[in-house]
């Protein structure tokens, strides 16, 4: 059994995920040791917790790279109910944990988990499975396309209630890409896409704090000590790193200047310490994962694994785009972490869950010569 697994596993993809995680552990320590000393008198506080989550996530990763992926399709109705239940639990006082004016976490004994990280994965599995089943009548909007969208709308609104428009939008986009690749008629896609853009825009501008964040993104220097502060500090970090960087561990902005230096804005620290080479290292690995995922989807013949490979690949890449775009000031700050690199236990474990399934799918898509290709 073990030898059979090692003969078929997609090792290049396997090691791409592993390298991102290893790099992430190094950068979490580098970015977090000042705040660890200040808050907990322990420079390894955040690193130790991230390492524990990585070990848990590694077990999940290996298990999911072996388990038959068809099992996830059969369990997808349960996943939908679990997603909605978790998102409802978050909103219940005494169960949901509030941090920074957001209620996005649940306390489970000594662990604090963020259910929306699980929901990203579960919704991708559900959409891949349900639209694979509906292939014969996708031309019928009411029967083939519409029913799962009520589930998506419910999940979107529950995540938005936390409030977390960034995560809600990333779930919407991932499911939208699965829908796009499922074979839905173009007119239906246009109607749904237009409705989604209008809906997200409405929620973005009607909440005062979201509108302020949007305005600060357009010109952060209008409010340098308020809503524009974090982005300005990110700019300082990127600029001071230059091409070669200050050197690993030598960031200035992480010393109390840049908020969330080890989470949402860890890429600013990477650029400050490692310069353009840190960005290139990360970008090449992400691009390899994207190309491998798309190649896997093209090779698979059945609708469910094909749509699942697309969904999981772009679930990762959407978060990458959201995070890098926010750090560089190209899109508004969303609070989305950088996959496999940023500090955050729930994000790391469920990203490794997705990665394990993607390695599983890629290993199943080997060509007739037993070789892999992009």
């Amino acid at each position: 059994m073990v030898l059979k697994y090692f003969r078929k596993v997609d090792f290049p993809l396997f090691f791409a995920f592993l390298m991102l995680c290893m790099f992430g552990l190094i950068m979490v320590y580098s970015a977090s040791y000042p705040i660890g000393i200040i808050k907990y008198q322990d420079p390894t506080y955040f690193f130790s917790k991230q390492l524990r989550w990585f070990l848990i996530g590694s077990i999940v990763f290996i298990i999911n790279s072996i388990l038959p992926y068809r099992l996830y399709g059969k369990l997808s109705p349960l996943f939908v109910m679990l997603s909605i239940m978790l998102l409802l639990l978050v909103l219940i006082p005494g169960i949901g944990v509030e941090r920074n004016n957001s209620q996005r976490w649940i306390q489970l004994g000594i662990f604090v988990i963020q259910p929306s990280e699980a929901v990203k994965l579960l919704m991708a599995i559900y959409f891949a499975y349900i639209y694979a089943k509906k292939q014969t009548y996708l031309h019928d909007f009411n029967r083939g396309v519409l029913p799962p969208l009520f589930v998506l709308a419910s999940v979107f609104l529950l995540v938005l209630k936390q409030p977390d428009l960034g995560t809600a939008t990333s779930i919407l986009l991932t499911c939208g890409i699965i829908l796009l690749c499922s074979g839905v008629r173009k007119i239906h896609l246009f109607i749904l896409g237009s409705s989604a853009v209008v809906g997200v825009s409405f929620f973005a501008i009607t909440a005062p704090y979201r509108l302020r964040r949007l305005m600060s993104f357009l010109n952060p220097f209008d409010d340098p000590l308020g809503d524009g502060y974090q982005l300005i500090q990110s700019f300082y970090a990127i600029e001071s790193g230059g091409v070669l960087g200050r050197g690993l561990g030598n960031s200035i902005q992480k010393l109390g200047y840049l908020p969330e230096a080890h989470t949402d804005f860890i890429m600013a620290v990477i650029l400050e310490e490692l310069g353009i080479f840190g960005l290139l290292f990360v970008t090449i690995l992400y691009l390899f994962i994207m190309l491998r995922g798309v190649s896997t989807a093209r090779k698979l013949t059945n609708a469910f694994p094909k749509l699942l490979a697309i969904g999981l690949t772009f679930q990762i890449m959407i978060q990458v785009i959201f995070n890098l775009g926010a750090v560089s000031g190209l899109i508004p700050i969303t609070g989305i972490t950088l996959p496999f690199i940023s500090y955050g236990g729930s994000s790391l474990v469920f990203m490794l869950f997705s990665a394990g399934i993607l390695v599983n799918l890629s290993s199943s898509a080997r060509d007739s010569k037993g070789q892999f290709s992009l």
Side-chain angles (χ1 to χ4, degrees), residues 88-334:
L88 288 171
L89 286 174
V90 169
L91 302 176
I92 298 175
I95 298 178
V97 177
E98 184 173 341
R99 295 176 179 175
N100 299 324
N101 299 316
S102 298
Q103 195 159 322
R104 303 176 186 174
W105 298 268
I106 294 176
Q107 182 84 43
L108 294 176
I110 61 172
F111 296 108
V112 178
I113 67 166
Q114 189 173 351
S116 60
E117 295 294 338
V119 172
K120 291 176 190 176
L121 168 64
L122 300 182
M123 285 302 295
I125 294 172
Y126 170 67
F127 258 58
Y129 179 72
I130 201 71
Y131 284 108
K133 285 186 66 177
K134 291 174 175 287
Q135 289 292 296
T136 55
Y137 49 96
L138 277 178
H139 62 281
D140 184 339
F141 184 80
N142 290 332
R143 182 178 171 219
V145 179
L146 190 58
L149 299 182
F150 289 113
V151 176
L152 177 59
S154 301
V155 168
F156 179 88
L157 292 173
L158 285 170
V159 175
L160 188 69
K161 184 70 175 173
Q162 295 181 0
D164 191 353
L165 180 60
T167 296
T169 304
S170 72
I171 293 170
L172 193 68
L173 286 171
T174 300
C175 293
I177 289 172
I178 293 172
L179 191 60
L180 171 67
C181 296
S182 67
V184 172
R185 293 174 61 189
K186 292 179 181 179
I187 183 62
H188 295 161
L189 284 171
F190 177 77
I191 294 169
L192 293 171
S194 301
S195 302
V197 170
V198 170
V200 171
S201 300
F202 171 79
F203 289 118
I205 64 176
T206 52
Y209 84 93
R210 292 193 193 109
L211 183 59
R212 289 197 307 271
R213 183 176 287 184
L214 180 63
M215 298 308 294
S216 70
F217 146 73
L218 295 173
N219 194 349
F221 292 95
D222 283 348
D223 188 12
L225 298 179
D227 290 314
Y229 178 81
Q230 189 175 31
L231 184 54
I232 291 171
Q233 297 306 312
S234 179
F235 288 160
Y236 287 155
I238 294 170
E239 188 276 333
S240 64
V243 175
L244 300 177
R246 293 178 175 271
L248 185 62
N250 293 329
S251 166
I252 301 298
Q253 294 305 116
K254 70 186 179 187
L255 302 177
Y257 299 103
L258 176 64
E260 310 299 336
H262 58 303
T263 57
D264 305 354
F265 276 73
I266 196 167
M267 180 49 75
V269 176
I270 292 171
L271 282 163
E272 186 180 5
E273 295 189 349
L274 303 178
I276 196 70
F277 296 103
L279 177 63
L280 283 174
F281 176 76
V282 170
T283 302
I284 288 170
L285 287 174
Y286 282 133
L287 287 176
F288 174 79
I289 289 167
M290 184 183 73
L291 291 172
R292 201 67 149 200
V294 171
S295 175
T296 294
R298 291 177 62 187
K299 291 177 183 177
L300 292 164
T301 54
N302 293 331
F304 171 58
K306 183 182 289 286
L307 292 177
L308 185 57
I310 284 290
L312 296 180
T313 299
F314 284 95
Q315 175 201 359
I316 295 169
M317 294 310 301
I318 286 166
Q319 291 189 222
V320 171
I321 292 168
F322 274 23
N323 183 273
L324 297 184
V327 168
S328 60
L330 295 176
I331 63 173
I333 295 172
T334 58

